[in-house]
Amino acid sequence: MVATTTVRDSRVPGAPSPTTHDRLVVYRTTIGQAMKPPRFQYRDPDTLADAVALKARHGSDALILAGGQSLMPMLNMRLAAPSVVIDINGVTDLQQITRNGDVVEIGAGVRQSALETDPLIREALPLLARAVPHIGHIENRHRGTVGGSLAHADASAELPCTAVVSDAVVVLQGQNGRREVPASSFFDGFMTNACADDELVVAVRYPVTPAGAGTAFVEVARRNGDFALAAAGVIAEVDGDGRFTRLAVGVAGVASVPLRATDVEQELLGRPVDPATIEAAAKRVEAAVTTGDDIHATSAYRKHLAATVVSRAVLAAATDARNGGNR
Amino acid sequence: MTTTEHQAAAVDTETRTITLRVNGRDVSRTVETRTTLADFLRDDLDLVSVHLGCEHGVCGCCTILLDGESVRSCLMLAVQARGHEIETVESLSADQNALHPIQEAFAEEQGLQCGFCTPAMVLRCKEIIEDGKARTDDEVRHEISGILCRCTGYQNIVNAVQNASRKLGGKEAGA
Amino acid sequence: MTTTQEPTVNAPAKPTAGYKYIGTDRKRVEDPRLLVGRGNYIADMKVQGLLHAAILRSPVPHARIDSIDTSEALKIPGVVAVLTGEDCKAHMNPCMNFGPPTIAQYPIAVDKVRYVGEAVAVVVAESRYIAEDGVDVLDVEFSDLPLVTDPKAALEPGAAPLHEEHGSNLAYERTFEFGDIAAAMADADLVVSDTLHWGRSAGMPMETSGAIARPGNNGVLEVYCNSLNFSYLQFLVAGALKIPSNKLKMQPVAAGGSFGSKFTAHKVPTLTAFLALRTGRPVSYVEDRLDHLMNSDHHASDRYYEARMGFTKDGMITGLDIDVLDDYGAYLQFGTGTHGNALSQLTGPYRFRNARYALRAALTNKCQQGAYRGFGSEVHNWVLERLVDQAATKLGLAPEDIRRRNFILPEEFPYKIPGGNLYDSGNYPAVLDKALGMIDIEHWRKEKARLREEEGRHIGIGIATTQERSVFSSTEFWFWFDEPAFPITSSPESATITIDPAGAFQLQLHCQAMWGNSPETVATTVLAEEFGVEPETVNVSYADTSRALPGTGPGGSRFTVMVAGAVRGASRKLKKKLIDIAAHSLEVSADDLELVDGQVQVVGAPERSLGIPELAGSAYFFALNLPPGMESGLEESHTYDHPYTTLPAADRSDLGVFYPIMGHACHIAVLEVDPDTGQTSFLDYVAVHDAGTVVNPKSLGGHVTGGAAQGLGSTLYEELVYDAEGQFKSSTFLDYLVPTANEVPPFRIGHVETPSPYTEFGIKGGGEGGRMVTPSVVSSAIDDALAEYGMHVQQLPVKPADIVATVQNARAGQ
């Protein structure tokens, strides 16, 4: 698309503003005028070791093809033009969901739709089960993967938000072995992450949600299935007196990365579950909203919306907790 | 945004021979690796019921069943389908004079006008009924919302899914 | 050359009474092939040796094209040619154009680009993939020109002209005044006014436009395409291509939806034909979705209004005063025809005599405007209903009451409105009453109050009506101009019925007809009614332009009416021939015979009969059994022209009758608004339409529902956005938001049938009305839901951010 047009600006200093006809701009169109993928070398390793080796060899010239729900549109529009595409769908090692004590490890290749129906996820990670149906449409989730969503690192996406709320850990693998990066530092900028050019996202580890904790995921989008204008994921624990004893609040769609609304968490911790109190505390999230105006929403709207979804999600999670949560 | 030199067709044409099962038959073809699955089905296998509406994964007109699950065929490469099973609407019936009950239900309810989203909707209908997700009109609306229809305003499609559900002995639809 | 055609007044038929096929929910004959995935769309065609085209679209809104370097592209194996505006300039005439000749348009930009997305160069290659590889390596140098994105600024002195030859960016300006608007406003007890903006959306069919052009026999260029009313306009395409009209054969290909968006020819079929002419090979160009979003034939209306309306204290309308500034885009393909549609129902369903309509159309650095379901009348209706709602609130009248007071009554038809158009028939109170009854308005009014009080919810109720003009006359293309170049008065439709030697029916239509509507169902239903044969047994085909009789195609809700006239006319001729043959064979008077259920029989003695196969056998093979002088064969054609049109007055004080077959609708919506998210959800919605005699209730209901869904899109979701820098911001389906099944509510449909006195069977057009009233009713319901915050919808689409901003501002001021 035109956003990718290369611009060589040869304005002389002191020339009038760029919108006047005195400006002389030479444009060279490069990519983004298309709807069929460019040429690339296709590689489809069977093993993780082979995939890692390929990634190490090609570095930033290679892109990983998992579910394809983000990469394929970019390839079709030629907004991405990698020399090598490494298809990891044949790496079956990445397609497991396993519980190990208080941690659930989800392989990067697990399909998003599997999270909606997997009994282990519903019991151990109820926030995921609530969040995943908001990802696109079922036709996307049948193919889209957990690792793909995390690696794409879209701040309006649901899975990155749940990872931040849950204090999940992203597992990366390079030729020198594995390393674990907390979700809070994995997402390090607009559509970027901490995965190095010679590494792959291989799994994400979520702490099991404590028994009795309540969860909620509230999202507002222009249409159901669109990117969130704002969304909030919440895990809450409430004591016998109806006070918050633990609260984790994540917000998607309002900044360059998925946020934790720590101000809101701190203000409510120890306080009673009361709609007015929650609504007032939720307004603290507005200060963290940095996404500017776009064609779907103004910044002012996003601020109010962020507070609204946080308030509603916190109240819903508290209600869920008081009803016993997921068990 | 800072690229000043374009890539001049740096990569040679790369092909693969793939074998997959399509509408109950094994097929084997050699394809260019960058070919999308949608283009492969249309151009190589003549399954032109797979319609290209947006080619970036939003409209859903290219929806097919991959191992029984609905997916966007514009968001897969043909090579990725090797070893898998694919169903297009022709798997229900390709005979205009002997429609499958789902197709018949769409005809009875006029759940189509221009026909462009129709093969995708019919396949999705099959999946919804098999998954038992046609319990209410609202549920059907939610379940078909990944496929855009510009003609019908959806009501007659909802009616068609409910009609098909009854024909196939699925759970009786709520009003 | 022009003539005035006086109406043929048929006795109004009793709706559906006595018909066997018309008025029943029959299955569509188009559907079996579509259901097995064999719609035979343009992209499905396989042609030996076919090349494929891809387009380099302009990344800049307004610039001179300094150079285009095609050398790298031409080095790619499989790239056959690269064509640019220079080729068009050298080998083409400008494309057909209903606007001023000083605004010339070619399928590829010549010398300069005028909007983001305009075609700059076309690569033709052995596959679409390779063609796009070629586009990737084209080098283009542009010199920026000052851009014009705001239509008001476009008309300021000194604004950069888009078309230097035209002199300014004022594409068109004219003021029509009917009656005495100054007196009407002076006499009014209440004058309401509003500043309104209807934003840019588009028909956006799921299938894009496409064409295949192939050099054929005898130097004939064959063009297969899913666009255009080409039996009407084919000679203009040939003119642009500089080839004789009989050397261009255009063949209709079924379209996957249009809604107006495939109405013209300049970008897709003309371009593709040009590519085939230059390469000498068959070429396919099918828009991808990016092409279609930013460089389709046209976007739809984008208008700014200053509008006023006068009322007496009793709520009677005294006059309507409109100033409209049209943000037309870079070219003026359709002239200002979309405003002619507005003038055809200038006063809506209301009885008042004074109106002023001042139009200025500005050229801006955007894709041009054109047709979309409603063709501009839906915009006018929104403005009209916004003003009526405002008056109702100020006068303390219920929305249904103010409308009822002003309705033209059933006994007043035919009714000539200010401006000259005529409404043929109607029963507006009956439509309103049916809608009010279907939704149980009193229940919802109580429920709205209860839910606000007990649950804090915000429910709104909207009521709106619309006229649905149908069956345009071609005078509307030129009455805008005092000295029109081509004051056409014909807009015919034709049908040919052949009974083959075995007695089977062939029906040929003479236009592009299958756009997702039901042309074959309608035509075979009428044929069935005439001959008593089952519609499904009739084979339907479409003539190409080498043999097509006069036809105009779908558009302006004309096709059902017109094809019914054509089929019935051809049927009458063919039935007469059957009866004459039978009379000769049976040796009875033709007056004593009738055609019943496929048999010609003696009245009162049905055992003396001959079946159609026997008569067909005689017609083809037994000339000596035919009445003396009768030609062999069984084929008749009929061309049906507009049933009622008159010439405009020379001074345009009266525009004549140009859109007289007038439907009507009333929608009532109950919706809930979430004041903190701006999201809306429907609790109920009824849509009652009067499209005269209904041919197929389920089909008409489907069109109403689909149109209403599109109206909802234009109201809440869909917008083609250009920013202040002229960049296009809605270039994917993630940004241009077509409503899904989640957003569209279950519309409940009702029909009232007031037959037209001027058409066969009393049918009126019904294809567009759904979209023509939804914007009004949803705007009204949103205002009603948030009245306590002073909500007043003035701009479409109304977005969640707009709603929340209004609520938050009101709360801040409390």
Side-chain angles (χ1 to χ4, degrees), chain B residues 4-173:
Chain B
T4 52
E5 296 301 323
H6 46 252
Q7 298 178 344
V11 185
D12 290 336
T13 301
E14 183 187 72
T15 60
R16 279 278 184 98
T17 299
I18 57 172
T19 300
L20 62 161
R21 197 166 174 82
V22 179
N23 295 338
R25 302 176 74 130
D26 292 324
V27 297
S28 187
R29 291 286 189 285
T30 300
V31 294
E32 196 178 352
T33 51
R34 66 167 165 166
T35 306
T36 65
L37 177 58
D39 282 337
F40 171 71
L41 293 171
R42 289 180 55 80
D43 298 339
D44 294 65
L45 302 187
D46 242 346
L47 295 169
V48 293
S49 67
V50 179
H51 295 146
L52 302 181
C54 78
E55 297 179 86
H56 52 281
V58 183
C59 78
C61 292
C62 68
T63 298
I64 54 145
L65 299 180
L66 176 78
D67 302 329
E69 291 188 332
S70 54
V71 302
R72 317 286 206 205
S73 63
C74 73
L75 297 188
M76 280 181 71
L77 299 171
V79 284
Q80 293 188 285
R82 69 197 179 287
H84 290 277
E85 177 153 7
I86 284 170
E87 292 161 76
T88 66
V89 80
E90 288 89 343
S91 69
L92 277 74
S93 171
D95 180 351
Q96 299 180 33
N97 298 312
L99 298 178
H100 182 277
I102 294 176
Q103 292 161 321
E104 182 58 32
F106 272 73
E108 287 170 6
E109 303 295 340
Q110 296 192 13
L112 67 158
Q113 287 175 26
C114 82
F116 204 73
C117 73
T118 304
M121 284 289 187
V122 168
L123 286 169
R124 181 74 186 121
C125 174
K126 174 173 184 269
E127 187 183 31
I128 291 169
I129 292 171
E130 285 171 359
D131 291 351
K133 289 186 172 173
R135 285 164 293 204
T136 66
D137 282 2
D138 279 351
E139 184 175 36
V140 171
R141 279 180 180 275
H142 183 73
E143 293 297 328
I144 64 172
S145 68
I147 302 169
L148 296 177
C149 170
R150 194 58 165 165
C151 294
T152 63
Y154 302 106
Q155 184 59 50
N156 285 354
I157 298 177
V158 174
N159 296 346
V161 175
Q162 300 289 28
N163 179 332
S165 181
R166 288 190 297 272
K167 277 188 166 56
L168 295 171
K171 286 183 183 166
E172 191 63 27

Side-chain angles (χ1 to χ4, degrees), chain C residues 472-645:
Chain C
F472 70 78
S473 150
S474 43
T475 58
E476 71 155 342
F477 295 142
W478 54 266
F479 65 50
W480 298 93
F481 305 104
D482 289 325
E483 295 179 357
F486 191 54
I488 180 176
T489 58
S490 301
S491 49
E493 206 58 61
S494 301
T496 301
I497 304 173
T498 309
I499 301 175
D500 73 13
F505 280 76
Q506 299 276 1
L507 172 60
Q508 188 157 46
L509 304 180
H510 294 269
C511 63
Q512 166 62 297
M514 176 55 191
W515 280 352
N517 48 345
S518 313
E520 296 158 36
T521 299
V522 169
T524 57
T525 300
V526 171
L527 187 149
E529 199 65 58
E530 293 294 312
F531 288 95
V533 296
E534 292 301 301
E536 295 76 13
T537 66
V538 179
N539 186 52
V540 182
S541 61
Y542 296 92
D544 65 52
T545 56
S546 68
R547 105 162 226 107
L549 297 170
T552 315
S557 294
R558 67 183 294 285
F559 195 74
T560 296
V561 167
M562 298 301 292
V563 82
V567 172
R568 197 176 209 188
S571 299
R572 283 179 176 140
K573 294 178 190 174
L574 199 54
K575 280 160 73 174
K576 180 175 186 312
K577 187 164 186 179
L578 287 171
I579 285 175
D580 286 347
I581 297 171
H584 190 69
S585 298
L586 295 170
E587 298 180 326
V588 296
S589 163
D591 295 339
D592 294 333
L593 293 173
E594 59 182 352
L595 178 64
V596 178
D597 292 340
Q599 296 266 114
V600 177
Q601 61 193 38
V602 176
V603 177
E607 70 283 359
R608 290 193 65 199
S609 65
L610 287 167
I612 286 176
E614 293 165 273
L615 295 166
S618 295
Y620 281 89
F621 301 121
F622 300 98
L624 297 182
N625 290 356
L626 299 178
M630 181 180 276
E631 288 178 28
S632 291
L634 273 177
E635 175 172 294
E636 294 289 350
S637 294
H638 184 70
T639 298
Y640 179 77
D641 215 310
H642 196 287
Y644 186 8
T645 179

Side-chain angles (χ1 to χ4, degrees), chain C residues 390-467:
Chain C
Q390 194 189 139
T393 304
K394 288 186 169 152
L395 292 167
L397 292 170
E400 66 272 29
D401 288 342
I402 195 168
R403 288 174 170 82
R404 197 187 297 277
R405 284 177 196 204
N406 285 286
F407 276 158
I408 300 159
L409 296 175
E411 58 270 25
E412 295 178 78
F413 296 98
Y415 181 89
K416 199 165 169 65
I417 65 165
N421 195 35
L422 180 132
Y423 296 172
D424 58 346
S425 65
N427 189 344
Y428 308 152
V431 173
L432 176 64
D433 287 339
K434 181 156 190 172
L436 290 168
M438 279 174 69
I439 203 152
D440 193 352
I441 192 81
E442 293 313 321
H443 160 77
W444 278 116
R445 283 179 173 148
K446 286 187 199 121
E447 193 64 2
K448 167 183 149 86
R450 185 189 72 77
L451 289 169
R452 184 76 192 94
E453 191 169 331
E454 294 178 11
E455 299 180 22
R457 293 164 62 184
H458 297 77
I459 311 300
I461 301 170
I463 297 179
T465 64
T466 191
Q467 297 297 85

Side-chain angles (χ1 to χ4, degrees), chain A residues 6 28 36 39 42 44 142, chain B residues 3-4 13 55 70 82:
Chain A
T6 301
R28 171 180 289 166
K36 306 290 184 192
R39 290 168 202 252
Y42 174 79
D44 52 341
H142 277 148
Chain B
T3 312
T4 52
T13 301
E55 297 179 86
S70 54
R82 69 197 179 287

Side-chain angles (χ1 to χ4, degrees), chain A residues 25 27 33 223 295 301 312, chain C residues 57 140 142 677 738 799:
Chain A
V25 182
Y27 296 88
Q33 295 266 349
R223 297 171 302 185
I295 66 169
Y301 170 71
R312 291 179 183 181
Chain C
R57 298 177 289 264
V140 184
F142 297 102
T677 66
V738 173
K799 298 182 192 175

